[in-house]
Amino acid sequence: MNVIEVQNVSKNFKHFSLNNVSFSIKRGFITGLIGPNGAGKSTLIKMMLGLVRPDSGHISVFGSDVFTDEAAVKQRIGIVFDESHFYEDLTIYEMKRIVAPFYQRWNDQKFAGYLDTFELSPKQKIKELSKGMKMKFSLALALSHEAELLIMDEPTAGLDPVFRRELLEQLGSIILDEGNAILFSTHITTDLDRIADYITFINKGQLVFSEDKDAIVEQYALVKGERELLDRDTRKQFVGIRETSVGFEGLVNNRAEAQAAFGGYAVFEKPTLEDIMFYTVKGGTAHV
């Protein structure tokens, strides 16, 4: 079952356009939304939350139109942003008392359990929390009203690697045990290498792909070899390529075709999501 359906969505701004984007978010899985800054990730999230209306196309969340059924849809969504939007002078407990009444299915017992899991004291003031602790508090709030979909916009930006790994492990165990869905928007693709099931890649307002992560890294390949292997035909294989005085490294989006073109004269490696994003965004040929 798809929790979110984005169908042929377009939106025009003065200096940016989102063009005919379609993809879905599946229940029970973590979907990574990747792309460089300014690619359109935040605009898509705002549309899913009913904050920005598309010029054309349609977005449904839990089968409902997010703009006509906004209140009901938001009862089922937990949201975690990269910046804190809390009253800094309040304690965790006081902030919870403000947030909880907005949700019909708020669960105080769950909230207390998450505070214990995240090692947060309800007596701590928001301004005394580190960035990582504020992220944990945001997550505790987002998970305590029986949310079926968790939307996270750059949640690990600025966090140390130890905490990032801890957070990712908690996401896997807490959310997916309940068969819910996560949309994880980030430009830190190493996080998604670890936990994502599906990847949706947006670049310059266009959808590059929205597919199973394992299938993506099997389809793409990093190719390395000597410059003598490059000619007009072999260059057409590459999404992007870097050349030096002695050799090249590039990304292809069809491993089988590239292997047939280069035979055994080039080295083929499995790319990371960062490799795929870098070469796709960069495009063309770069000389180093």
Side-chain angles (χ1 to χ4, degrees):
M1 174 184 175
N2 293 330
V3 175
I4 297 177
E5 291 275 1
V6 177
Q7 300 174 327
N8 306 116
V9 165
S10 295
K11 180 70 178 180
N12 294 309
F13 298 97
K14 186 175 181 180
H15 300 294
F16 171 77
S17 293
L18 200 64
N19 299 306
N20 200 35
V21 173
S22 298
F23 63 92
S24 60
I25 306 297
K26 295 176 172 55
R27 182 181 291 277
F29 298 98
I30 297 177
T31 297
L33 179 61
I34 67 172
N37 291 333
K41 303 189 300 296
S42 294
T43 298
L44 281 168
I45 288 176
K46 289 176 182 176
M47 288 180 180
M48 294 172 195
L49 297 175
L51 302 176
V52 173
R53 187 178 291 273
D55 295 335
S56 61
H58 182 259
I59 296 176
S60 64
V61 183
F62 304 112
S64 299
D65 186 289
V66 69
F67 295 100
T68 58
D69 299 307
E70 182 180 355
V73 166
K74 286 184 177 178
Q75 288 290 323
R76 304 169 70 179
I77 299 176
I79 307 167
V80 177
F81 293 109
D82 65 327
E83 295 293 334
S84 170
H85 298 284
F86 306 123
Y87 296 117
E88 294 284 317
D89 288 326
L90 297 185
T91 65
I92 284 177
Y93 175 75
E94 291 167 338
M95 193 69 226
K96 184 271 297 186
R97 290 190 64 188
I98 293 175
V99 173
F102 288 97
Y103 295 101
Q104 299 167 359
R105 296 190 293 174
W106 180 267
N107 187 322
D108 260 333
Q109 187 174 354
K110 269 196 171 184
F111 180 73
Y114 288 127
L115 291 189
D116 185 57
T117 298
F118 297 151
E119 299 180 340
L120 295 173
S121 168
K123 297 179 181 179
Q124 288 177 286
K125 286 195 173 184
I126 306 297
K127 64 183 179 183
E128 297 171 350
L129 303 179
S130 67
K131 183 175 177 66
M133 294 168 74
K134 287 179 181 178
M135 186 59 61
K136 287 182 177 182
F137 177 47
S138 295
L139 190 56
L141 289 174
L143 297 175
S144 295
H145 62 272
E146 313 293 346
E148 300 166 58
L149 167 65
L150 182 64
I151 295 178
M152 308 184 77
D153 191 6
E154 300 287 356
T156 56
L159 301 181
D160 68 79
V162 174
F163 176 74
R164 278 169 46 207
R165 182 159 184 168
E166 178 187 358
L167 176 63
L168 298 177
E169 290 175 351
Q170 288 165 341
L171 287 178
S173 61
I174 292 172
I175 305 297
L176 300 186
D177 282 352
E178 300 181 10
N180 296 328
I182 301 173
L183 176 62
F184 192 120
S185 173
T186 184
H187 63 274
I188 306 175
T189 54
T190 51
D191 291 341
L192 300 178
D193 283 319
R194 185 181 302 277
I195 64 166
D197 302 295
Y198 293 89
I199 300 293
T200 296
F201 181 10
I202 304 290
N203 185 39
K204 297 179 181 178
Q206 304 273 1
L207 179 71
V208 180
F209 56 68
S210 185
E211 298 178 31
D212 178 283
K213 183 190 70 180
D214 293 336
I216 292 166
V217 297
E218 290 297 329
Q219 174 187 341
Y220 282 78
L222 274 181
V223 184
K224 300 178 182 179
E226 298 179 353
R227 290 188 67 179
E228 288 74 14
L229 295 174
L230 298 176
D231 58 30
R232 180 181 298 178
D233 292 327
T234 56
R235 286 179 187 275
K236 294 177 182 178
Q237 299 282 336
F238 291 95
V239 174
I241 187 170
R242 293 172 67 247
E243 293 183 44
T244 68
S245 59
V246 295
F248 72 88
E249 175 184 284
L251 181 78
V252 297
N253 59 11
N254 190 317
R255 176 189 289 265
E257 284 187 5
Q259 285 177 325
F262 288 101
Y265 295 101
V267 176
F268 286 78
E269 297 178 358
K270 183 176 291 188
T272 63
L273 292 174
E274 182 176 319
D275 293 326
I276 293 172
M277 190 168 80
F278 172 79
Y279 279 107
T280 302
V281 172
K282 187 180 181 66
T285 301
H287 295 273
V288 181

